[in-house]
């Protein structure tokens, strides 16, 4: 911990850093960003994908185990042009015996997730691209610098491609198989080629420039100005101004980067699936909680061990999060912890699944791309569309590192001292596979909290009831089951309707609850299915409603028990729901900046991290925490212990995030692909400043760092910490109003909804924050929440 003068100094530095950075970069941050990839009509990158949780999350969660059916009709179409099947396209597409029945090409209300198979991908995407190419050619021929003649037809083209490609890429994430991979791999270059053609369209680019230079510019709404400015900027970043030979080189780079990122993710998934540890000796699983043993036995049954049970085994341990974390935190057998840990940190680093070469290729191509665009490095390309600059992001990380280091060192000393008091043979030599185990034992001892013992108090149905009640209290919305209204990709997936205070539907969302190691990638993420849009209105009057999906990897129900959650899993659900709320409660009708679109990347974590704070709010938590069998409430003293334990090992957890963010920036600023140092040399150097215990020599964590090599977080992982300042300060508005004052909470919640959740990317994020908070952001709340500033007497 820091003395008061040191804490004050850190706070002052952070305040200066945030304010300087936001003032300096806002004028340069006019770009529509959507989660993992920039959303621009000019973007030659992947279309917007889902948004993963930060890597601090130890486990992932969601869903309900009850099923309600709804027969309420809905008029909500994702087709802008009606059916995409024409006589010519059918004549030229002989790959599908019945192209007219291809579910990807239908005029659907909700995506036909249940009907799409690998065989539909090649003919469906190729037919779609042929149609869109014709629409683009027609737009270029008739384009005028006006909203109806430029933006409206352009949004329809982009949206249709996004929705249809979104179906197949989503299925690859949640229902992966060899046939689907192969089909996507075949058509992916054709999809990227079309995106490049669209992104480098001179007629469209010139029309945007003409709008900006026209006398009507001054009367455009702020949202429309943001769209125009961001599309011009993104067009330049996507090579529209390059000469022919350089543009051809740029396009080859984009094609290859797309291919490599998909291959990287596939290797991580396959490497995760590949590891299986069959255990037949009961003594090897000592310490594992009942839920983990039940899951391990259930996994064994699925692997052919028909008589496996939790009591007598056999048990199968995997690297899927629920299994891996159970071993890391609870297995008394140190050798088992070591074996599983080593397997986890070396995933996708050997043999056919080795991602090392892919990482080098990705970094080399990103640097080449930056040079073509006249930037010094790829981080500068990334920051061109964010709130921060490279310097300001690095400054923030370094100041947070200084604020976290001493606390993290003390964390390790505390573990050594405690483990020694428990007679642990490894006390003087604690290493990576001991940290989680002894941290849990110390937490149990210090706060008398056993996370596994708390699981019965956090059953999924109760948690979701509580979350939905909180959303009603804060934002005046009702959430009701709508199962059966939309097709789903797995029987565990739930579908919900969101209604406003008048009872009218304003949005819909899917939930995919549980871990499925054989077909589903790891992590937890929220993604857009469709956005709110005036242009894509079904009836021509009211805007098309937004639809989201949340995908998680929680421990599934075992036997007759519902899914029972750890407290961290509860936090994860709240986090992802925060993302979904910003997408669903938008009031912005301009489709390119509605919901999560158009929000600078380093601000987009604000609502998700904001929602996590409510897990520690007494009324909210006590409303959730009911024993799934007896209905007994969580004891008051346990609640107080949870709050007291909130900052347990806060220094270590903060440092972990800083390490990820710092190595990301180092690789995209200073690293020279093909130079004397390897990426692992960079990782080790960063670790010297960000890890109290150095990584193992064979640690290949980078080979599974999908956020930056298969997602949109390249030179952007710092965004989690940047936005954490914003989210903590936003929650402090509720603390200032009085968390126990229901009227004040409701009023503040409404203000949060009308600003942060409603305005989308139609205004700069700093301006949106000021409209909510009444001032620019301060890091005081973050430092206080992390235990680096005094905590108020009231929780």
């Amino acid at each position: 911990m820091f003395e008061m003068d040191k804490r004050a100094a850190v706070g002052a530095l952070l305040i200066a850093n945030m304010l300087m950075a936001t003032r300096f970069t806002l004028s340069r941050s006019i770009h529509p960003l959507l989660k993992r990839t920039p959303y621009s009509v000019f973007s030659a990158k992947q279309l917007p994908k889902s948004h993963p949780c930060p890597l601090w999350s130890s486990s992932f969660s969601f869903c309900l185990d009850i099923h309600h059916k709804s027969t309420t009709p809905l008029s909500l179409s994702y087709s802008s042009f009606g059916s995409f099947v024409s006589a010519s396209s059918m004549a030229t597409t002989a790959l599908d015996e019945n192209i007219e029945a291809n579910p990807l090409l239908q005029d659907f209300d909700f995506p036909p997730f249940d009907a799409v198979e690998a065989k539909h991908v090649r003919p469906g995407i190729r037919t779609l691209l042929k149609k869109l190419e014709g629409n683009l050619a027609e737009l270029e021929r008739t384009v005028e610098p006006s909203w109806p003649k430029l933006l409206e037809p352009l949004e329809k083209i982009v949206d249709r491609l996004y929705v249809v490609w979104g179906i197949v890429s989503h299925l690859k994430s949640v229902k992966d198989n060899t046939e689907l991979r192969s089909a996507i791999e075949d058509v992916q270059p054709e999809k990227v080629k079309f995106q490049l053609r669209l992104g480098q369209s001179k007629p469209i680019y010139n029309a945007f420039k003409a709008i900006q230079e026209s006398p009507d510019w001054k009367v455009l709404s702020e949202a429309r100005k943001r769209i125009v400015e961001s599309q011009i900027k993104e067009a330049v970043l996507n090579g529209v101004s390059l000469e022919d030979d350089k543009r051809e080189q740029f396009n080859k780079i984009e094609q290859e980067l797309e291919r490599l990122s998909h291959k990287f993710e596939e290797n991580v998934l396959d490497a995760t699936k590949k590891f299986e540890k069959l255990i037949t000796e009961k003594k090897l699983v000592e310490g594992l909680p009942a839920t983990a043993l039940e899951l391990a036995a259930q996994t064994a049954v699925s692997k052919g061990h028909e008589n496996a049970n939790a009591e007598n085994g056999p048990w199968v341990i995997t690297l899927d999060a629920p299994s891996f974390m159970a071993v890391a935190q609870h297995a008394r057998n140190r050798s088992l912890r070591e074996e599983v840990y080593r397997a986890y940190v070396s995933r996708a680093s050997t043999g056919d699944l080795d991602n090392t070469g892919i990482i080098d290729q990705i970094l080399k191509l990103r640097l080449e791309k930056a040079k073509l665009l006249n930037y010094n490095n790829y981080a500068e390309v990334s920051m061109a569309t964010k709130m921060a600059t490279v310097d300001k992001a690095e400054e923030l990380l370094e100041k947070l590192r200084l604020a976290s280091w001493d606390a993290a060192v003390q964390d390790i000393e505390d573990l050594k001292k405690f483990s020694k008091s428990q007679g642990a043979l490894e006390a003087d030599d604690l290493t990576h596979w001991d940290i989680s185990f002894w941290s849990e034992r110390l937490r149990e001892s210090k706060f008398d909290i056993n996370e596994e013992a708390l699981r019965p108090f956090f059953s999924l149905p109760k948690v979701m009831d509580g979350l939905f009640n909180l959303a009603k209290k804060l934002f005046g919305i009702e959430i009701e089951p709508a199962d059966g209204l939309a097709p789903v990709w797995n029987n565990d997936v739930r579908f919900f309707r969101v209604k406003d205070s008048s009872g009218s539907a304003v949005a819909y969302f899917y939930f995919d609850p549980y871990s499925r190691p054989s077909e589903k990638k790891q992590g937890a993420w929220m993604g857009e299915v469709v956005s709110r849009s005036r242009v894509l209105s079904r009836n021509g009057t009211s805007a098309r409603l937004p639809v989201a999906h949340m995908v998680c990897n929680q421990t599934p129900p075992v036997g007759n028990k519902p899914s029972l959650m750890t407290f961290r899993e509860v936090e994860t659900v709240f986090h992802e729901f925060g993302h979904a709320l910003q997408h669903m409660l938008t009031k912005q009708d301009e489709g390119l900046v509605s919901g999560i679109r158009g929000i600078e990347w380093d601000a987009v974590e604000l609502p998700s991290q904001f929602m996590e704070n409510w897990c520690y709010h007494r009324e909210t938590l006590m409303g959730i925490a009911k024993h799934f069998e007896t209905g007994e409430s969580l004891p008051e003293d346990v609640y107080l212990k949870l709050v007291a334990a909130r900052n347990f090992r806060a220094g270590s957890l903060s440092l972990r995030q800083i390490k990820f963010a710092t190595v990301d920036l180092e690789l995209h600023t200073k690293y020279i692909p093909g130079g004397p140092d390897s990426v692992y040399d960079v990782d080790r150097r960063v670790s010297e400043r960000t890890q109290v215990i150095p990584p193992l020599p064979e640690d290949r964590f980078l080979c599974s760092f999908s956020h930056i090599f298969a997602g949109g977080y390249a030179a952007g992982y710092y965004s989690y910490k940047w936005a954490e300042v914003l989210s903590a300060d936003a929650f402090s508005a509720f603390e200032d109003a009085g968390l126990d004052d229901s009227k004040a909470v409701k009023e503040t919640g409404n203000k949060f909804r009308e600003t942060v959740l409603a305005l989308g990317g139609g205004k700069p994020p700093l301006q949106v924050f000021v409209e909510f908070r009444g001032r620019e952001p301060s890091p005081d709340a973050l430092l206080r929440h992390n235990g680096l500033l005094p905590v108020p007497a009231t929780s």
Side-chain angles (χ1 to χ4, degrees):
M1 291 297 175
F2 286 82
E3 300 88 0
M4 284 304 296
D5 58 341
K6 201 176 215 181
R7 287 186 287 207
V10 171
L13 285 169
L14 286 171
I15 292 170
N17 185 61
M18 285 295 293
L19 297 186
M20 286 175 61
T22 48
R23 287 190 184 120
F24 179 72
T25 62
L26 271 175
S27 62
R28 302 178 58 215
S29 301
I30 40 180
H31 165 66
L33 286 175
L34 172 62
K35 296 307 176 187
R36 290 171 62 181
T37 45
Y39 188 86
S40 165
V41 295
F42 286 114
S43 179
K45 308 180 181 84
Q46 299 178 60
L47 285 166
K49 292 175 70 177
S50 49
H51 183 69
C53 255
L55 288 174
W56 53 253
S57 190
S58 64
S59 49
F60 315 93
S61 50
F62 184 70
C63 206
L64 303 179
D65 61 356
I66 52 174
H67 294 277
H68 300 284
K69 300 295 180 183
S70 172
T71 56
T72 306
L74 174 71
S75 294
L76 180 69
S77 175
Y78 302 156
S79 172
S80 309
F81 304 104
S83 175
F84 270 70
V85 184
S86 64
S88 61
S89 67
M90 283 189 286
T92 58
T93 309
L95 294 174
D96 190 352
E97 68 279 2
N98 189 3
I99 190 68
E100 196 169 19
N102 191 307
L104 291 172
L105 302 175
Q106 303 310 304
D107 182 5
F108 44 74
D109 283 336
F110 291 105
F113 287 119
D114 61 336
V116 174
E117 300 176 22
K119 67 180 182 181
H120 299 124
V121 173
R122 293 181 184 88
I125 295 299
R126 285 171 175 151
T127 302
L128 172 67
L129 290 173
K130 184 176 180 64
K131 176 65 175 177
L132 293 180
E133 284 166 3
N135 293 330
L136 177 56
E138 176 66 13
L139 172 59
E140 290 178 321
R141 187 182 66 80
T142 61
V143 68
E144 295 177 9
S146 69
W147 220 256
K149 292 287 188 176
L150 172 59
L151 259 298
E152 293 185 6
L154 191 55
E155 184 181 341
K156 291 175 180 178
I157 292 172
V158 173
D159 187 85
R160 185 64 189 188
L161 178 58
Y162 168 57
V163 171
V164 176
W165 185 260
I167 295 171
V168 299
S169 59
H170 174 69
L171 288 174
K172 184 173 182 287
S173 295
V174 297
K175 203 172 182 179
D176 182 58
N177 59 66
T178 303
E179 293 77 17
L180 184 60
R181 281 188 189 185
S182 177
I184 292 175
E185 187 176 324
D186 282 352
V187 296
Q188 183 176 291
E190 299 166 46
K191 187 266 296 186
V192 176
K193 182 180 179 181
F194 174 75
Q195 286 177 261
L196 289 165
R197 158 97 167 78
L198 176 64
Q200 295 166 357
S201 169
K202 286 288 181 69
I204 294 175
Y205 173 69
N206 291 334
F208 273 118
K209 294 282 288 184
I211 289 178
Q212 191 178 44
E213 295 164 3
S214 74
D216 295 334
W217 174 253
K218 292 182 180 179
V219 300
L220 279 186
S221 68
E222 187 169 12
R224 290 189 171 186
K225 285 181 179 178
R226 287 261 291 175
I227 291 172
V228 172
E229 291 171 324
S230 65
Q231 300 311 319
I232 291 171
K233 188 181 194 76
E234 189 64 23
V236 174
L237 291 175
N238 280 285
V240 73
S241 301
L242 295 176
E243 298 299 325
D244 289 347
D245 56 338
K246 288 187 175 181
R247 186 160 64 248
E248 183 178 348
Q249 183 183 356
F250 181 94
N251 291 352
K252 287 180 180 178
I253 289 172
E254 291 291 79
Q255 284 278 14
E256 185 64 2
L257 283 173
E258 177 102 346
R259 185 189 70 81
L260 290 169
S261 71
H262 277 267
K263 184 60 177 172
F264 185 99
E265 188 67 57
E266 288 173 0
N267 285 349
V268 174
L269 176 62
D270 289 346
T272 302
K273 289 192 298 185
K274 189 176 181 180
F275 179 88
E276 292 178 10
K277 172 72 173 177
L278 176 65
I279 298 176
T280 56
E281 297 181 61
K282 193 166 187 176
K283 65 179 182 180
L284 295 181
V285 295
E286 287 181 357
L288 290 186
T291 53
L293 292 173
E294 289 166 350
L295 176 62
Q298 191 166 280
T299 304
V301 171
S302 71
K303 302 296 181 181
H305 302 276
E306 297 178 2
N307 298 320
N309 60 70
E311 179 64 24
N312 300 309
W315 306 269
V316 170
I317 302 299
T318 71
L319 296 182
D320 207 45
S323 181
F324 166 73
M325 289 307 302
V327 171
Q329 293 178 331
H330 301 290
R332 292 177 191 161
N333 187 289
R334 195 183 187 212
S335 296
L336 176 62
R337 298 201 306 266
E338 178 181 357
E339 180 181 356
V340 174
Y341 178 85
R342 288 183 183 274
Y344 192 82
V345 298
S346 61
R347 284 180 301 161
S349 66
T350 59
D352 295 339
L353 302 178
D354 190 352
N355 272 336
T356 303
I358 292 177
I359 291 173
D360 284 332
Q361 291 179 66
I362 287 174
L363 292 173
K364 178 176 179 288
L365 291 171
R366 285 175 178 169
L367 182 58
E368 288 180 12
K369 174 180 171 178
K371 298 290 188 182
L372 282 173
L373 296 172
N374 293 317
Y375 286 92
N376 293 315
N377 52 60
Y378 186 77
E380 291 182 358
V381 177
S382 173
M383 299 294 186
T385 53
K386 293 180 173 67
M387 291 176 70
T389 62
V390 174
D391 289 345
K392 294 306 173 185
E394 289 177 338
E395 285 178 30
L396 176 64
L397 292 173
E398 176 60 14
K399 287 160 187 173
L400 291 175
R401 188 190 72 82
L402 289 172
S404 305
W405 180 262
D406 287 354
V409 170
Q410 187 60 52
D411 287 342
I412 297 298
E413 290 304 312
D414 290 345
L415 289 185
K416 289 179 179 178
K417 183 179 179 180
F418 176 74
S419 60
K420 197 164 192 173
S421 73
Q422 302 300 302
L425 298 177
E426 66 266 27
D428 293 325
D429 188 32
L430 286 187
T431 190
H432 300 282
W433 47 86
D434 302 315
I435 302 302
S436 292
F437 177 81
W438 285 108
S439 293
E440 286 306 302
R441 306 293 79 75
L442 178 56
R443 186 203 306 270
E444 292 166 2
S445 173
K446 189 173 183 178
F447 303 104
D448 193 24
I449 292 177
N450 182 314
E451 283 211 354
E452 287 299 317
L454 293 181
R455 279 187 188 265
F457 288 95
F458 297 119
S459 67
L460 203 35
K462 270 295 179 186
V463 169
M464 297 317 299
D465 283 346
L467 179 57
F468 294 167
N469 287 335
L470 176 65
K472 180 179 181 179
K473 176 182 177 181
L474 294 178
F475 311 125
I477 58 174
E478 296 273 359
I479 299 172
E480 64 182 19
D483 298 297
L485 181 60
V488 295
W489 53 92
N490 184 280
N491 289 336
D492 288 328
V493 176
R494 298 294 311 282
F495 192 66
F496 294 93
R497 179 188 293 107
V498 182
K499 300 193 297 187
D500 61 18
S501 56
S502 71
S504 300
V506 296
Y508 297 84
F509 62 101
Y510 302 83
F511 282 89
D512 185 351
Y514 310 124
S515 168
R516 296 191 299 275
S518 63
E519 64 177 12
K520 185 177 177 182
K521 74 177 185 181
Q522 286 197 308
W525 65 92
M526 171 265 162
E528 172 190 318
V529 179
V530 297
S531 69
R532 182 179 175 90
S533 172
R534 171 189 55 82
V535 169
L536 294 164
S537 167
R538 176 75 159 184
N539 55 24
T541 54
S542 57
R544 180 183 67 179
L545 300 183
V547 182
H549 61 61
M550 284 171 51
V551 183
C552 307
N553 272 277
Q554 182 168 329
T555 305
V558 177
N560 295 322
K561 296 179 182 178
S563 179
L564 302 177
M565 305 165 68
T566 65
F567 187 66
R568 176 55 60 84
E569 287 175 330
V570 175
E571 289 181 298
T572 300
V573 168
F574 275 61
H575 178 103
E576 299 306 334
F577 192 63
H579 283 309
L581 285 171
Q582 189 171 39
H583 175 63
M584 297 188 296
L585 298 189
T586 186
K587 292 188 176 179
Q588 176 59 254
D589 286 343
E590 296 293 345
L592 295 181
V593 288
S594 70
I596 55 178
R597 292 182 176 184
I599 299 173
E600 279 73 0
W601 204 301
D602 34 15
V604 85
E605 290 293 329
L606 193 170
S608 56
Q609 294 176 154
F610 161 82
M611 286 299 293
E612 289 181 44
N613 289 283
W614 293 99
C615 295
Y616 295 90
H617 178 230
R618 175 182 274 102
E619 182 182 337
T620 300
L621 186 65
M622 299 303 274
I624 285 173
K626 307 288 186 184
H627 196 283
F628 80 102
E629 289 178 321
T630 67
E632 171 195 0
S633 295
L634 186 74
E636 176 69 15
D637 65 319
V638 177
Y639 163 73
L640 294 174
K641 289 170 186 174
L642 276 174
V643 173
R646 183 176 187 178
N647 289 326
F648 179 63
R649 303 191 73 242
S652 297
L653 294 175
S654 176
L655 214 54
R656 177 175 165 83
Q657 284 297 86
I658 292 164
K659 182 259 175 78
F660 295 146
T662 304
V663 74
D664 171 33
L665 286 181
E666 289 277 332
L667 289 173
H668 291 102
T669 53
K670 302 177 179 64
Y671 175 68
I672 302 172
D677 289 343
S678 71
V679 291
Y680 306 120
D681 293 327
V682 175
D683 185 35
R684 280 190 287 273
R685 277 201 302 273
V686 170
S687 296
E688 290 175 4
R689 297 182 290 116
T690 58
Q691 283 188 231
V692 179
I693 299 178
L696 298 175
E698 66 270 33
D699 187 309
R700 293 295 182 264
F701 134 80
L702 288 173
C703 286
S704 58
F705 198 179
S706 296
H707 283 69
I708 70 170
F709 295 120
Y713 277 89
Y717 197 90
Y718 80 91
S719 300
Y720 284 112
K721 300 307 291 184
W722 188 274
E724 200 174 344
V725 171
L726 303 176
S727 62
D729 197 2
F731 186 74
S732 72
F734 291 82
E735 295 175 319
D736 292 347
L739 290 174
D740 295 326
D741 185 337
S742 58
K743 184 173 182 291
V745 166
K746 184 176 181 179
E747 290 173 352
T748 310
N750 183 64
K751 190 174 183 182
F752 187 87
R753 176 182 176 177
E754 294 301 316
T755 52
V756 175
L757 300 182
L759 297 176
K763 288 187 177 183
L766 179 60
Q767 184 178 332
V768 173
F769 184 91
V770 170
E771 285 190 27
F772 168 64
R773 198 68 178 94
R775 57 165 174 74
E776 293 188 328
S778 161
D780 280 358
L782 175 60
L783 293 172
R784 187 179 75 249
H785 291 167
N786 285 345
L788 298 175
L789 284 179
V791 180
T794 56
S795 60

